[in-house]
Protein backbone atom coordinates (compact mmCIF):
# COMPACT_ATOMS: atom_id res chain seq x y z
CA UNK A 1 0.00 0.00 0.00
CA UNK A 2 1.33 3.40 -0.94
CA UNK A 3 1.22 6.25 1.55
CA UNK A 4 0.80 9.85 0.59
CA UNK A 5 3.01 12.35 2.28
CA UNK A 6 1.54 15.54 3.65
CA UNK A 7 2.34 17.36 0.38
CA UNK A 8 0.60 14.65 -1.66
CA UNK A 9 -2.44 14.69 0.59
CA UNK A 10 -2.61 18.48 0.35
CA UNK A 11 -2.48 18.20 -3.46
CA UNK A 12 -5.32 15.67 -3.57
CA UNK A 13 -7.44 17.80 -1.28
CA UNK A 14 -6.70 20.91 -3.36
CA UNK A 15 -7.76 19.11 -6.55
CA UNK A 16 -10.93 17.95 -4.89
CA UNK A 17 -11.68 21.50 -3.83
CA UNK A 18 -11.40 22.64 -7.48
CA UNK A 19 -14.24 20.44 -8.62
CA UNK A 20 -17.52 22.25 -9.11
CA UNK A 21 -19.95 20.89 -6.55
CA UNK A 22 -23.24 19.59 -7.93
CA UNK A 23 -26.47 21.03 -6.63
CA UNK A 24 -28.45 18.67 -4.45
CA UNK A 25 -31.44 18.79 -6.84
CA UNK A 26 -29.22 17.62 -9.71
CA UNK A 27 -27.99 14.66 -7.70
CA UNK A 28 -31.37 13.65 -6.32
CA UNK A 29 -33.67 14.32 -9.28
CA UNK A 30 -31.29 14.85 -12.19
CA UNK A 31 -31.12 17.91 -14.40
CA UNK A 32 -34.01 18.23 -16.81
CA UNK A 33 -33.08 18.37 -20.49
CA UNK A 34 -36.23 20.46 -20.95
CA UNK A 35 -34.88 23.97 -21.18
CA UNK A 36 -34.54 26.56 -23.94
CA UNK A 37 -31.95 25.37 -26.45
CA UNK A 38 -30.32 26.63 -29.64
CA UNK A 39 -28.58 24.46 -32.24
CA UNK A 40 -27.54 24.58 -35.89
CA UNK A 41 -28.01 22.14 -38.75
CA UNK A 42 -25.45 22.50 -41.56
CA UNK A 43 -25.90 21.85 -45.28
CA UNK A 44 -23.65 21.23 -48.24
CA UNK A 45 -23.15 24.12 -50.65
CA UNK A 46 -26.26 24.86 -52.75
CA UNK A 47 -28.25 22.04 -51.12
CA UNK A 48 -31.34 21.92 -48.94
CA UNK A 49 -31.22 18.15 -48.31
CA UNK A 50 -30.21 16.88 -44.88
CA UNK A 51 -26.93 15.01 -44.80
CA UNK A 52 -26.88 11.77 -42.81
CA UNK A 53 -25.13 13.57 -39.94
CA UNK A 54 -27.69 16.39 -40.02
CA UNK A 55 -30.59 13.90 -39.99
CA UNK A 56 -29.03 12.17 -36.98
CA UNK A 57 -28.62 15.52 -35.20
CA UNK A 58 -32.28 16.39 -35.84
CA UNK A 59 -33.43 12.99 -34.54
CA UNK A 60 -31.19 13.25 -31.45
CA UNK A 61 -32.48 16.73 -30.60
CA UNK A 62 -36.09 15.70 -31.18
CA UNK A 63 -35.57 12.57 -29.08
CA UNK A 64 -34.70 14.70 -26.07
CA UNK A 65 -37.31 17.38 -26.76
CA UNK A 66 -40.21 14.90 -27.19
CA UNK A 67 -40.20 14.47 -23.41
CA UNK A 68 -40.72 18.22 -22.91
CA UNK A 69 -43.47 20.76 -23.24
CA UNK A 70 -42.34 22.51 -26.42
CA UNK A 71 -43.70 26.05 -26.43
CA UNK A 72 -42.09 27.27 -29.65
CA UNK A 73 -39.64 26.20 -32.33
CA UNK A 74 -38.00 28.91 -34.44
CA UNK A 75 -36.23 27.71 -37.58
CA UNK A 76 -34.24 30.27 -39.57
CA UNK A 77 -32.74 29.23 -42.90
CA UNK A 78 -29.50 30.89 -43.98
CA UNK A 79 -27.31 30.86 -47.08
CA UNK A 80 -23.81 32.05 -47.95
CA UNK A 81 -23.15 34.90 -50.40
CA UNK A 82 -22.35 32.63 -53.36
CA UNK A 83 -24.78 33.27 -56.23
CA UNK A 84 -27.71 35.62 -56.67
CA UNK A 85 -29.57 36.96 -53.64
CA UNK A 86 -32.93 35.68 -54.91
CA UNK A 87 -31.55 32.17 -55.32
CA UNK A 88 -30.02 32.32 -51.85
CA UNK A 89 -33.32 33.42 -50.32
CA UNK A 90 -35.07 30.50 -52.02
CA UNK A 91 -32.34 28.11 -50.85
CA UNK A 92 -32.55 29.34 -47.25
CA UNK A 93 -36.37 28.96 -47.35
CA UNK A 94 -36.01 25.36 -48.54
CA UNK A 95 -33.43 24.65 -45.83
CA UNK A 96 -35.72 26.02 -43.13
CA UNK A 97 -38.68 23.98 -44.43
CA UNK A 98 -36.54 20.82 -44.63
CA UNK A 99 -35.47 21.12 -41.00
CA UNK A 100 -38.95 22.06 -39.77
CA UNK A 101 -40.45 19.06 -41.58
CA UNK A 102 -37.78 16.74 -40.16
CA UNK A 103 -38.38 18.02 -36.61
CA UNK A 104 -42.13 17.62 -37.08
CA UNK A 105 -41.72 14.11 -38.46
CA UNK A 106 -39.53 13.31 -35.44
CA UNK A 107 -42.36 14.21 -33.08
CA UNK A 108 -42.16 17.92 -32.25
CA UNK A 109 -45.50 19.77 -32.29
CA UNK A 110 -45.78 21.53 -35.66
CA UNK A 111 -48.17 24.27 -34.41
CA UNK A 112 -45.26 25.55 -32.34
CA UNK A 113 -43.11 26.21 -35.44
CA UNK A 114 -42.08 29.60 -36.79
CA UNK A 115 -40.19 29.16 -40.05
CA UNK A 116 -38.26 32.03 -41.64
CA UNK A 117 -35.44 32.62 -44.09
CA UNK A 118 -32.73 35.27 -44.25
CA UNK A 119 -31.12 34.30 -47.55
CA UNK A 120 -27.61 35.72 -47.84
CA UNK A 121 -28.33 38.80 -45.71
CA UNK A 122 -25.33 39.17 -43.41
CA UNK A 123 -23.40 36.43 -45.22
CA UNK A 124 -20.23 38.48 -45.53
CA UNK A 125 -18.00 39.83 -42.79
CA UNK A 126 -17.25 43.55 -42.33
CA UNK A 127 -14.13 43.05 -44.45
CA UNK A 128 -16.17 41.52 -47.28
CA UNK A 129 -15.01 37.94 -46.71
CA UNK A 130 -17.54 35.23 -47.51
CA UNK A 131 -19.04 33.36 -44.57
CA UNK A 132 -19.32 29.66 -45.52
CA UNK A 133 -20.71 28.73 -42.11
CA UNK A 134 -23.93 30.43 -43.21
CA UNK A 135 -24.92 27.19 -45.02
CA UNK A 136 -27.18 26.22 -42.15
CA UNK A 137 -30.40 26.62 -40.25
CA UNK A 138 -30.54 28.03 -36.75
CA UNK A 139 -33.05 26.34 -34.47
CA UNK A 140 -34.23 27.87 -31.20
CA UNK A 141 -36.56 25.77 -29.06
CA UNK A 142 -38.39 27.02 -26.01
CA UNK A 143 -38.92 23.83 -24.01
CA UNK A 144 -39.93 23.30 -20.40
CA UNK A 145 -40.47 20.24 -18.22
CA UNK A 146 -43.98 18.79 -18.54
CA UNK A 147 -46.24 19.53 -15.62
Amino acid sequence: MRHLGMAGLAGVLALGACATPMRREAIVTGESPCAPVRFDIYFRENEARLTEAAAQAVEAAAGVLRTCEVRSVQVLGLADATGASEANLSLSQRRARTVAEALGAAGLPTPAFEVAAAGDTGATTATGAAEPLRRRTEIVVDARPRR
Side-chain angles (χ1 to χ4, degrees), residues 63-129:
V64 171
L65 293 168
R66 279 191 296 263
T67 66
C68 308
E69 176 190 342
V70 176
R71 296 179 178 180
S72 68
V73 180
Q74 298 172 333
V75 182
L76 176 64
L78 302 167
D80 62 22
T82 305
S85 289
E86 300 80 31
N88 288 332
L89 181 58
S90 174
L91 177 60
S92 65
Q93 289 168 337
R94 291 191 325 267
R95 286 174 174 169
R97 259 193 319 273
T98 295
V99 171
E101 289 169 1
L103 287 167
L108 294 190
T110 54
F113 281 75
E114 296 174 34
V115 180
D120 59 12
T121 303
T124 55
T125 64
T127 62

Side-chain angles (χ1 to χ4, degrees), residues 11-108:
V12 169
L13 291 175
L15 284 175
C18 291
T20 304
M22 291 184 71
R23 294 189 332 262
R24 182 180 186 283
E25 301 83 37
I27 296 169
V28 174
T29 61
E31 296 266 347
S32 172
C34 300
V37 64
R38 180 197 176 283
F39 61 97
D40 294 330
I41 299 295
Y42 290 87
F43 292 85
R44 291 189 179 105
E45 186 173 6
N46 295 320
E47 288 191 16
R49 254 180 321 158
L50 293 177
T51 64
E52 186 176 325
Q56 290 172 354
V58 166
E59 182 56 42
V64 171
L65 293 168
R66 279 191 296 263
T67 66
C68 308
E69 176 190 342
V70 176
R71 296 179 178 180
S72 68
V73 180
Q74 298 172 333
V75 182
L76 176 64
L78 302 167
D80 62 22
T82 305
S85 289
E86 300 80 31
N88 288 332
L89 181 58
S90 174
L91 177 60
S92 65
Q93 289 168 337
R94 291 191 325 267
R95 286 174 174 169
R97 259 193 319 273
T98 295
V99 171
E101 289 169 1
L103 287 167
L108 294 190

